[in-house]
């Protein structure tokens, strides 16, 4: 067997392992999306859904956050502004705190008092809304939820042809790196995982650290996971 074939086999194995780790997160997010769609079906009964309706998501969100060995640190549904009948915007979002307790995220969404009232420009919301596809956003400092360097995995939620918002989960970058860096180190050359925006999600190349941006890149797709395994990263953007 040639050395190039061995490298290809190792790269394929890395991609498979990365995909498996994140597919578990996306499976949880998809469950939230499906449950939210069922909640939103109250529109068919002649009224808009409310924050009280979204409370039906909480048992599912709590179960996923209590999962042992799970990468998920926060999970929930983020509503398209104007969807709900009792508030202009809303995040039904729960997260695990350092003390191990599960707590809701309580945000000031008043545009007159909060810099974070418009969450629709964040990649984890804007990309699924624009493309209808799932997305991996970040890594970025998540000032909205945790002040942690994070990845956010999200999927669009739709019902009756209407975009309702996104279901999403946060993965702290330190947890993601702990899961994938040992895999990347199996490759004979420095490697990085890069999202659709060109942002490096994890890297063994000191020239291209997590969070940096690449002008252009090509590599091995992680299939349905919107990440690319790049073994020869190009120069970062200035």
């Amino acid at each position: 067997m040639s050395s190039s074939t061995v490298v290809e086999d190792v790269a394929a194995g890395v991609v498979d392992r990365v995909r498996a780790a994140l597919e578990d997160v996306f499976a949880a997010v998809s469950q939230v999306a499906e449950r939210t769609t069922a909640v939103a079906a109250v529109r068919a009964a002649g009224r808009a859904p409310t924050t009280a309706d979204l409370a039906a998501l909480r048992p599912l969100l709590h179960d996923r956050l209590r999962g042992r060995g799970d990468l998920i640190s926060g999970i929930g549904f983020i509503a398209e502004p104007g969807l709900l009948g009792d508030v202009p915007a809303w995040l039904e979002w729960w997260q695990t705190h350092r003390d191990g307790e599960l707590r809701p995220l309580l945000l000031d969404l008043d545009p007159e008092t909060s810099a974070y009232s418009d969450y629709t420009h964040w990649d984890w919301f804007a990309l699924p809304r624009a493309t209808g596809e799932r997305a991996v956003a970040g890594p970025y400092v998540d000032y909205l939820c945790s002040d942690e360097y994070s990845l956010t995995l999200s999927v669009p939620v739709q019902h009756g042809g209407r975009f309702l918002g996104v279901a999403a989960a946060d993965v702290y970058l330190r947890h993601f790196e702990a899961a994938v860096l040992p895999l990347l180190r199996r490759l004979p050359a420095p490697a990085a995982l890069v999202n659709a925006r060109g942002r490096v999600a994890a890297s063994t190349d000191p020239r291209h650290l997590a969070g940096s941006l690449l002008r252009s890149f090509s590599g091995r797709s992680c299939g349905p996971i919107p990440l690319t395994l790049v073994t020869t990263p190009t120069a970062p953007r200035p």
Side-chain angles (χ1 to χ4, degrees), residues 8 32 36-37 52 73 76 97 116 118-119 125 134 138 161 209 211 232:
E8 283 295 308
V32 175
T36 305
T37 301
S73 58
H97 284 248
Y116 303 111
D118 181 12
Y119 46 70
F125 194 95
R134 55 187 184 174
L209 300 178
T232 55

Side-chain angles (χ1 to χ4, degrees), residues 138-158:
Y140 65 103
V141 179
D142 188 0
Y143 294 114
L144 193 67
C145 297
S146 64
D147 291 332
E148 286 265 3
Y149 211 31
S150 302
L151 299 171
T152 301
L153 284 62
S154 57
V155 302
V157 181
Q158 300 176 340

Side-chain angles (χ1 to χ4, degrees), residues 1-72:
M1 183 180 294
S2 68
S3 60
S4 61
T5 301
V6 171
V7 171
E8 283 295 308
D9 288 346
V10 172
V14 169
V15 165
D16 287 345
R17 294 285 297 278
V18 170
R19 183 166 57 237
L22 292 187
E23 282 291 4
D24 184 60
V25 178
F26 270 122
V29 173
S30 295
Q31 283 184 307
V32 175
E34 291 169 7
R35 191 72 56 86
T36 305
T37 301
V39 168
V42 298
R43 281 186 163 275
R47 68 172 179 86
T50 66
T51 53
D53 294 316
L54 292 178
L57 299 175
R58 293 175 187 175
L60 173 60
L61 305 183
H62 295 176
D63 284 347
R64 286 311 310 226
L65 288 172
R66 292 191 180 104
R68 292 186 178 181
D70 206 324
L71 289 173
I72 297 172

Side-chain angles (χ1 to χ4, degrees), residues 125-133 163:
F125 194 95
L127 283 173
R129 181 169 63 173
T131 66
E133 304 292 337
F163 175 77

Side-chain angles (χ1 to χ4, degrees), residues 1-237:
M1 183 180 294
S2 68
S3 60
S4 61
T5 301
V6 171
V7 171
E8 283 295 308
D9 288 346
V10 172
V14 169
V15 165
D16 287 345
R17 294 285 297 278
V18 170
R19 183 166 57 237
L22 292 187
E23 282 291 4
D24 184 60
V25 178
F26 270 122
V29 173
S30 295
Q31 283 184 307
V32 175
E34 291 169 7
R35 191 72 56 86
T36 305
T37 301
V39 168
V42 298
R43 281 186 163 275
R47 68 172 179 86
T50 66
T51 53
D53 294 316
L54 292 178
L57 299 175
R58 293 175 187 175
L60 173 60
L61 305 183
H62 295 176
D63 284 347
R64 286 311 310 226
L65 288 172
R66 292 191 180 104
R68 292 186 178 181
D70 206 324
L71 289 173
I72 297 172
S73 58
I75 189 168
F77 169 71
I78 303 93
E80 170 80 340
L83 172 71
L84 302 179
D86 55 339
V87 291
W90 187 255
L91 290 84
E92 184 60 45
W93 190 266
W94 287 73
Q95 52 198 18
T96 305
H97 284 248
R98 291 186 181 274
D99 58 9
E101 288 191 12
L102 305 186
R103 299 176 190 170
L105 178 66
L106 302 175
L107 290 177
D108 176 8
L109 295 176
D110 185 339
E112 295 186 1
T113 59
S114 174
Y116 303 111
S117 60
D118 181 12
Y119 46 70
T120 62
H121 67 282
W122 293 86
D123 277 354
W124 47 259
F125 194 95
L127 283 173
R129 181 169 63 173
T131 66
E133 304 292 337
R134 55 187 184 174
V136 175
Y140 65 103
V141 179
D142 188 0
Y143 294 114
L144 193 67
C145 297
S146 64
D147 291 332
E148 286 265 3
Y149 211 31
S150 302
L151 299 171
T152 301
L153 284 62
S154 57
V155 302
V157 181
Q158 300 176 340
H159 179 67
R162 178 183 178 184
F163 175 77
L164 306 179
V166 302
D170 281 343
V171 175
Y172 292 157
L173 187 65
R174 51 191 168 90
H175 295 160
F176 180 67
E177 288 183 322
V180 303
L181 286 181
L183 303 175
L184 297 182
R185 293 190 182 108
R186 296 179 182 178
L187 294 163
L193 290 165
V194 182
N195 74 8
R197 294 285 202 193
R199 191 171 297 279
V200 176
S203 175
T204 58
D205 188 337
R207 300 169 301 167
H208 307 284
L209 300 178
S212 61
L213 287 167
L214 302 183
R215 286 197 187 97
S216 62
F217 57 91
S218 62
R220 182 182 289 269
S221 169
C222 292
I225 299 295
L227 290 176
T228 300
L229 175 63
V230 179
T231 53
T232 55
T234 52
R237 292 176 184 170

